[in-house]
Amino acid sequence: MYTGFFGLHSQPFSIAPNPDFLYLSGRHAEALAHLRYGLGDAGGFVLLTGEVGTGKTTVSRALLQELDETTELAFILNPTLSELELLATICDELRIRYKKSDASLKMLGDKIKNRLLKNHQQGKQTLLIIDEAQHLQPVVLEQLRLLTNLETNSQKLLQVILIGQPELQQLLQRSDLRQLAQRITARYHLMPLTEAEVQQYLAYRLKIAGSERPVFDAAARRQLYQRSQGIPRLLNLLADRAMLAAYARQKPLVGKAEVQQAAKEVLPASVASAQLVQPGVWLWLLALVPLMAALGYLLARWLH
């Protein structure tokens, strides 16, 4: 709606998945480096945690773009599954055929292990990514650990990335999950962007969208950081709504007033009236925003 007014060819702060707008801050790049390290020869489990909207999906998407035909991927977006449902979902993702009427933990586990061995013999890596992993039940996590028991003298045949909110760290501290916790070869907790990184984030996405002039004044940029507290998803929502407000007022430069108006529309009234957003008050709102990047990837795989 406002793209032409600001001289852009696309919306710079849309939540729709678009790899062209993928911005890796220093923190996101560090998180990605941890994932790469964890997927080395040792294998096992890799842990990526962070608050809602900090960009965990962005990091996982960057990793997916690096994978080639030597990696077979199973991506689970909704981990609210039983042990049997988990194994069945892994089989579905890896396109392993089985009779649903005969499905059992042993039968599905054997089929998965046969695929892991076959992939290894063909020089392929098998990767399982589970998003929103804080919802996994302890018995399901234990089933995952058992799957990773298959190994050679030098590496695990199944590598697992668990992505989730901070509650996932607490879950893995349970005494009955200590064996799994000891198999985590790399872990990283993703923090929100700093004020300097927010400035870079805004500039990068605007440049990709075709911006040839400033869009936010200095006061607006500071206000975006204060209101979002450096959470990328909330930053996108506020920046997009502020640009829409400026367009409605026919203002070529987005100012502090437009960001404040956006905050009133995006945040709860009790929070929007404050100068700074207190962490945790509005995080539940971010959870309502669809994980479009992951869904888009799954759709693309299905269509392919």
Side-chain angles (χ1 to χ4, degrees):
M1 180 181 294
Y2 57 69
T3 52
F5 179 76
F6 288 103
L8 309 175
H9 54 67
S10 58
Q11 287 183 266
F13 302 105
S14 171
I15 63 171
N18 187 339
D20 293 338
F21 286 88
L22 183 62
Y23 171 76
L24 290 178
S25 71
R27 299 180 184 215
H28 291 84
E30 188 175 356
L32 181 58
H34 276 73
L35 294 188
R36 292 192 191 112
Y37 173 80
L39 294 181
D41 292 337
F45 287 86
V46 180
L47 185 65
L48 175 61
T49 57
E51 282 290 357
V52 177
T54 48
K56 301 183 296 296
T57 301
T58 297
V59 174
S60 64
R61 187 174 181 84
L63 181 69
L64 294 180
Q65 290 179 327
E66 297 179 359
L67 302 180
D68 56 25
E69 65 278 0
T70 62
T71 299
E72 186 169 20
L73 172 67
F75 193 109
I76 297 179
L77 182 61
N78 178 14
T80 310
L81 304 167
S82 67
E83 298 167 84
L84 186 62
E85 290 170 336
L86 172 73
L87 297 187
T89 302
I90 294 175
C91 286
D92 293 339
E93 285 290 304
L94 297 178
R95 295 180 176 85
I96 299 173
R97 302 182 65 178
Y98 63 94
K99 291 184 179 180
K100 291 182 171 57
S101 59
D102 298 333
S104 67
L105 289 177
K106 184 181 185 309
M107 185 268 282
L108 296 177
D110 288 344
K111 284 186 172 293
I112 293 172
K113 290 177 181 178
N114 289 337
R115 174 61 64 83
L116 296 179
L117 286 169
K118 180 180 178 181
N119 283 348
H120 176 68
Q121 292 167 357
Q122 295 177 347
K124 291 184 178 181
Q125 179 185 47
T126 309
L127 172 62
L128 170 63
I129 299 179
I130 302 181
D131 206 354
E132 300 295 339
Q134 73 275 2
H135 296 305
L136 288 169
Q137 296 297 316
V139 291
V140 177
L141 282 166
E142 177 61 15
Q143 186 64 49
L144 273 177
R145 185 189 69 82
L146 294 175
L147 282 180
T148 63
N149 279 342
L150 195 61
E151 58 189 354
T152 66
N153 291 334
S154 60
Q155 69 180 83
K156 299 285 186 180
L157 299 191
L158 176 64
Q159 297 173 307
V160 182
I161 296 179
L162 299 177
I163 303 173
Q165 297 171 26
E167 294 86 346
L168 178 58
Q169 295 184 24
Q170 300 171 12
L171 176 62
L172 294 175
Q173 292 176 3
R174 290 172 53 116
S175 60
D176 56 338
L177 293 176
R178 62 186 180 278
Q179 291 189 70
L180 187 153
Q182 292 172 1
R183 294 189 181 184
I184 297 175
T185 57
R187 61 179 75 208
Y188 190 85
H189 185 73
L190 191 59
M191 299 295 291
L193 301 175
T194 64
E195 185 169 3
E197 288 172 335
V198 165
Q199 306 285 335
Q200 297 165 9
Y201 180 91
L202 294 171
Y204 177 83
R205 294 187 69 113
L206 285 168
K207 180 180 178 180
I208 297 300
S211 176
E212 296 182 353
R213 62 175 179 82
V215 173
F216 298 94
D217 65 23
R221 295 194 298 271
R222 286 194 299 270
Q223 189 73 189
L224 282 169
Y225 169 69
Q226 292 171 349
R227 297 287 180 171
S228 70
Q229 288 291 285
I231 302 293
R233 191 180 301 167
L234 187 61
L235 182 60
N236 281 352
L237 294 172
L238 288 170
D240 180 75
R241 195 64 61 89
M243 291 180 69
L244 182 61
Y247 166 72
R249 297 169 181 174
Q250 294 295 288
K251 293 180 59 176
L253 195 62
V254 181
K256 179 178 178 180
E258 284 71 44
V259 178
Q260 290 176 328
Q261 178 180 333
K264 292 179 181 178
E265 297 174 358
V266 172
L267 303 177
S270 60
V271 177
S273 61
Q275 177 65 20
L276 294 177
V277 180
Q278 296 300 318
V281 176
W282 40 257
L283 288 177
W284 63 273
L285 282 178
L286 298 182
L288 301 179
V289 181
L291 297 177
M292 297 300 296
L295 289 174
Y297 174 76
L298 291 175
L299 179 61
R301 287 189 67 213
W302 181 77
L303 291 175
H304 178 72

